[in-house]
Amino acid sequence: MKMTFVKNFPGMGECDAYVLCPGCAKKHIPEAAALLDKVDEKRFSGKAGQTIALNLVHGDKLVTVVIIGFGDKIDENSFAKAYAKGVKEAKKAKPATIGVITGGPLAGKAVESIILADNVYETHKTEKADKVDYIIYGVEEDEVKEGIVLGNAVCLTRALVNEPSNVMTPAQLATEALLAGADSGFKVNVYDLPEIEKLGMKAFLEVARGSDREPKLIAMSYMGDPDSEEILGLVGKGICYDSGGYSLKPSSGMETMHTDMGGAGAVIGAMSAIAKMKLKVNVTAVVAACENILSAHAYHPGDVIGSMAGITIEVNNTDAEGRITLADAVTYAALKQNATRIIDAATLTGAAVAAFGSSFTPVVSDSDELWAALEKASVPAGEKVWRMPMDDELFEGLKSDIADVKNSGGRGGTITGGMFIQKFAQGRPWAHLDIAGTSYTKGNDFCQFGATGVAVRLLYHVAKDSVK
Ligand code: BES
Ligand code: MN
Ligand code: ZN
């Protein structure tokens, strides 16, 4: 995809198809507005997300003009949805170039959603879909920089998360983080097995034991405000494949488990956007990357293991592995990266999928302030969040007779999963995003299929809103 920006619309001619709202049609393509006037209200009334494709003859060329509806309330959401659907409709005419007319304070959101809607995972397809070039009329590139950066950051995350586990190994994920850091301007340190041992990350290492692929600890940092002591710590679950271990998943449950590093992908994407936009904030991120697979070396159900924080864990289910790796990752964020607030993103529980499907990301947090920041950020991010109650009664299920805690038990799985991680956050204000349901889609307005890149924009906007 190529995208160019032209401030003033010169009239039809350059493109094979156009996407614009009814108001812009009146102003810029009156032939289309005249045709639209004759269209039945039932077919197109300008409702949010509605589209209609009109065919015009311009010179000796057939041009498709797609009119999009914003509805009565023009906001980030309706704007993003309208352009995403408009572009999708225009593509049906197989254009080589699509012209999009936009403008105003939400134009960045239009650009962001076009980048997302156009993106498709086809790395391993021998025959690729035809590429479309876009000309965005009505804005200069600088005005929509944030939209471009965010769109590309989400696509980066999708690319990382979509790759199968034979490609996106822990070592490859570390390489990708290094590349993203070099490209965007944040620091990345990668630690290998002996160094992880030296750090005392016993819980992380137990999960990693089953695999011949070496675990990697990926530590990232971007210090955009050296005068401030505040550091936002991001932590991403980085299970490059989750078979369940000895608590083996059924094969149907394993099919998409290469995406169990969706949280890791999200924090890498968020770091990339934060650094590219040069936000005046301090942000660190950490990923404990490994595989949860079976072998003679793998940990067993019933094992008691240690952790970096010194808390002992009874492993009653090796499939509740994410929280075990996150325990050490969160400890690392607090003690080694000195994060003053911590947000983790993790494809943690099937229970989150059962409760919210793919629409809302459930949040578990011990901090009203951090929750408020997430709720506020969710609007410009276009990502829906829902706070779960935290209750000591639920933690009862995680009490162990033989160790300090056990890694699963009781009902309320999404909440208890979060509460387990909280025990390792060293008392820092903490929030947990369970993105098990929202990180993957069979298809929606903004994502054709596969990894959605959820949490990238949410985390970016939390960081941006904290700029003093
Ligand atoms: N990675 C899975 C959670 C998951 C399930 C993500 C479906 C995406 C789609 C996680 O490691 C897991 O296996 N969780 C268990 C926890 C249980 C054993 C307490 C689950 O949800 O069943
Ligand atoms: Mn699991
Ligand atoms: Zn998992």
Side-chain angles (χ1 to χ4, degrees):
M1 167 212 250
K2 206 177 87 203
M3 211 177 231
T4 48
F5 298 86
V6 177
K7 184 78 185 172
N8 295 308
F9 183 60
M12 279 200 290
E14 282 174 296
C15 306
D16 307 310
Y18 292 90
V19 175
L20 72 177
C21 70
C24 285
K26 240 185 222 134
K27 213 159 119 196
H28 296 296
I29 312 184
E31 310 92 293
L35 268 182
L36 186 64
D37 274 344
K38 293 193 198 105
V39 170
D40 196 291
E41 270 272 313
K42 278 193 210 121
R43 176 63 191 86
F44 187 86
S45 63
K47 267 203 299 222
Q50 239 185 4
T51 62
I52 185 165
L54 306 167
N55 290 313
L56 293 181
V57 179
H58 182 79
D60 55 1
K61 196 161 132 183
L62 191 67
V63 178
T64 303
V65 177
V66 175
I67 311 285
I68 55 178
F70 295 138
D72 301 329
K73 203 170 122 247
I74 301 185
D75 58 14
E76 286 97 340
N77 254 326
S78 60
F79 219 67
K81 192 169 163 179
Y83 281 100
K85 292 188 92 170
V87 161
K88 199 170 163 191
E89 182 66 36
K91 271 182 149 187
K92 288 184 189 161
K94 305 248 171 261
T97 313
I98 299 179
V100 178
I101 305 183
T102 185
L106 295 172
K109 209 57 203 175
V111 170
E112 177 189 305
S113 64
I114 292 166
I115 294 171
L116 297 184
D118 188 76
N119 173 251
V120 66
Y121 176 58
E122 56 178 4
T123 311
H124 303 285
K125 286 269 194 192
T126 308
E127 257 177 59
K128 318 273 189 212
D130 292 332
K131 294 269 169 299
V132 177
D133 289 335
Y134 293 86
I135 303 179
I136 311 293
Y137 298 103
V139 285
E140 267 155 30
E141 187 165 349
D142 280 356
E143 299 171 65
V144 291
K145 180 158 182 230
E146 187 180 64
I148 300 171
V149 165
L150 283 175
N152 289 332
V154 173
C155 291
L156 164 68
T157 297
R158 288 179 180 177
L160 301 182
V161 179
N162 277 323
E163 284 301 320
S165 66
N166 60 328
V167 176
M168 200 52 64
T169 59
Q172 187 59 33
L173 188 59
T175 302
E176 298 289 345
L178 284 161
L179 289 171
D183 177 57
S184 313
F186 61 90
K187 256 211 269 178
V188 182
N189 287 308
V190 176
Y191 301 99
D192 56 17
L193 186 61
E195 291 164 308
I196 299 167
E197 277 167 354
K198 227 184 277 159
L199 283 162
M201 302 182 91
K202 293 179 183 161
F204 172 29
L205 287 170
E206 283 298 328
V207 176
R209 283 172 72 93
S211 177
D212 282 346
R213 292 182 177 139
E214 194 189 3
K216 298 285 178 189
L217 181 74
I218 308 166
M220 297 162 260
S221 91
Y222 167 78
M223 294 294 151
D225 187 8
D227 297 332
S228 165
E229 310 219 307
E230 292 291 315
I231 299 174
L232 173 63
L234 309 179
V235 180
K237 173 172 171 180
I239 299 295
C240 293
Y241 194 73
D242 181 12
S243 70
Y246 275 97
S247 308
L248 192 63
K249 287 181 183 298
S251 32
S252 60
M254 251 184 249
E255 242 171 69
T256 59
M257 280 303 128
H258 63 285
T259 67
D260 211 18
M261 34 61 76
V267 303
I268 294 170
M271 287 301 280
S272 165
I274 290 163
K276 278 210 165 142
M277 290 306 289
K278 298 194 164 59
L279 296 186
K280 199 168 167 284
V281 285
N282 301 320
V283 190
T284 59
V286 61
V287 169
C290 69
E291 294 186 324
N292 184 28
I293 63 163
L294 282 165
S295 79
H297 304 287
Y299 71 151
H300 306 165
D303 284 0
V304 176
I305 65 176
S307 66
M308 190 181 187
I311 299 170
T312 58
I313 305 165
E314 175 190 354
V315 179
N316 60 347
N317 192 323
T318 62
D319 197 13
E321 84 297 337
R323 64 198 69 184
I324 298 175
T325 60
L326 286 162
D328 277 352
V330 160
T331 306
Y332 185 89
L335 299 184
K336 298 290 173 185
Q337 296 181 314
N338 301 315
T340 50
R341 302 185 294 162
I342 297 172
I343 305 177
D344 77 76
T347 48
L348 206 74
T349 63
V353 192
F356 292 98
S358 56
S359 59
F360 280 78
T361 296
V363 177
V364 183
S365 178
D366 56 16
S367 159
D368 290 344
E369 284 79 30
L370 206 43
W371 160 250
L374 285 161
E375 196 180 27
K376 181 171 176 234
S378 80
V379 178
E383 293 183 13
K384 291 182 272 195
V385 291
W386 196 266
R387 190 178 186 177
M388 308 294 277
M390 249 180 103
D391 193 280
D392 284 343
E393 208 179 308
L394 282 163
F395 199 80
E396 291 294 314
L398 296 183
K399 288 193 171 151
S400 165
D401 292 333
I402 58 169
D404 297 336
V405 282
K406 61 185 185 196
N407 76 326
S408 80
R411 304 302 294 262
T414 299
I415 300 171
T416 55
M419 289 177 82
F420 179 91
I421 298 166
Q422 191 240 358
K423 292 284 170 232
F424 297 84
Q426 306 290 324
R428 313 284 158 95
W430 156 92
H432 159 70
L433 314 172
D434 193 332
I435 58 171
T438 46
S439 65
Y440 188 85
T441 180
K442 294 211 160 98
N444 64 39
D445 292 341
F446 303 103
C447 183
Q448 299 183 33
F449 64 87
T452 61
V454 77
V456 170
R457 290 175 293 170
L458 186 66
L459 295 171
Y460 168 83
H461 280 288
V462 169
K464 185 184 171 193
D465 287 342
S466 72
V467 172
K468 285 196 210 76

